[in-house]
């Protein structure tokens, strides 16, 4: 029993250290990539502008817990923009309930996002970033509605802001 407890403690220590290294690596890559975006700010400027959770997701590529975001079960008419720079990203017409715990869209507004290969969890995924500021939005998967694009843009609620349609 003592051996099991010691092994679990060692695994937890290694895992937490590995997570911190991944965040450092993601931050370094983000800082290098930021220069190619229209909206660029220093780390201190982003921290002053964004909430701590927005900063962690948009700038450090973190992920909010599933089912906790305000836009997961939200279906009003309007446009979703980047929470960091206001870039229009998705329209409500492309939003659907994927039952995954995050807001999901089947396509972005043309030219609003850029894509990066992401193997941070040991599997190949496609990261989605705002094309204007490079903010991390989430990932795109090929398990969306077959009757439309077949894609699911799995998006963090804190990375977007809803602008209601004018009546």
């Amino acid at each position: 029993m003592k051996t099991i407890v010691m092994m679990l403690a060692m695994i937890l220590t290694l895992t937490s250290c590995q997570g911190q290294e991944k965040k450092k690596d993601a931050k370094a890559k983000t800082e290098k990539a930021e220069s190619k975006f229209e909206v660029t700010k220093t780390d201190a400027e982003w921290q002053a502008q964004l909430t701590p959770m927005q900063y962690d997701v948009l700038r450090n590529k973190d992920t909010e817990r599933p089912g906790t975001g305000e836009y997961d079960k939200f279906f009003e008419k309007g446009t979703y923009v980047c929470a960091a720079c206001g870039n229009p990203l998705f329209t409500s017409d492309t939003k659907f309930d994927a039952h995954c715990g995050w807001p999901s869209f089947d396509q972005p507004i043309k030219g609003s996002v850029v894509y990066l290969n992401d193997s941070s969890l040991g599997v190949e995924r496609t990261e989605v970033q705002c094309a204007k500021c490079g903010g991390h939005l989430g990932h795109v998967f090929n398990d969306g509605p077959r009757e439309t694009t077949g894609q699911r843009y799995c998006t963090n609620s804190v990375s977007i802001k809803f602008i209601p349609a004018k009546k």
Side-chain angles (χ1 to χ4, degrees), residues 8-142:
L8 285 174
M10 186 186 314
I11 290 170
L12 286 173
T13 302
L14 291 173
T15 304
S16 66
C17 292
Q18 187 178 32
Q20 289 173 356
E21 287 302 313
K22 284 183 183 179
K23 280 190 177 186
K24 285 180 188 176
D25 291 345
K27 188 174 180 179
K29 287 178 186 174
T30 299
E31 287 172 358
K32 287 179 189 174
E34 278 184 356
S35 60
K36 70 180 180 182
F37 296 105
E38 180 183 334
V39 175
T40 57
K41 296 183 180 190
T42 66
D43 202 42
E45 289 171 322
W46 284 123
Q47 285 181 318
Q49 175 189 332
L50 303 169
T51 68
M53 185 63 181
Q54 285 176 321
Y55 179 81
D56 284 345
V57 170
L58 285 158
R59 306 320 307 169
N60 289 329
K61 303 180 184 223
D62 209 347
T63 302
E64 65 190 0
R65 287 189 335 256
T68 62
E70 75 176 296
Y71 299 123
D72 180 29
K73 302 290 184 195
F74 182 88
F75 291 96
E76 292 184 21
K77 294 288 181 192
T79 303
Y80 295 85
V81 301
C82 177
C85 71
N87 183 32
L89 302 167
F90 303 100
T91 64
S92 58
D93 295 339
T94 65
K95 191 170 188 300
F96 66 98
D97 188 357
H99 305 287
C100 66
W102 292 276
S104 297
F105 304 86
D106 67 2
Q107 64 183 325
I109 294 171
K110 187 173 177 149
S112 66
V113 301
V114 293
Y115 305 93
L116 288 141
N117 289 330
D118 176 5
S119 58
S120 62
L121 296 180
V123 294
E124 289 298 318
R125 301 181 297 167
T126 302
E127 179 188 350
V128 181
Q129 289 184 342
C130 173
K132 193 170 180 181
C133 71
H136 171 76
L137 304 172
H139 292 85
V140 62
F141 302 98
N142 292 320

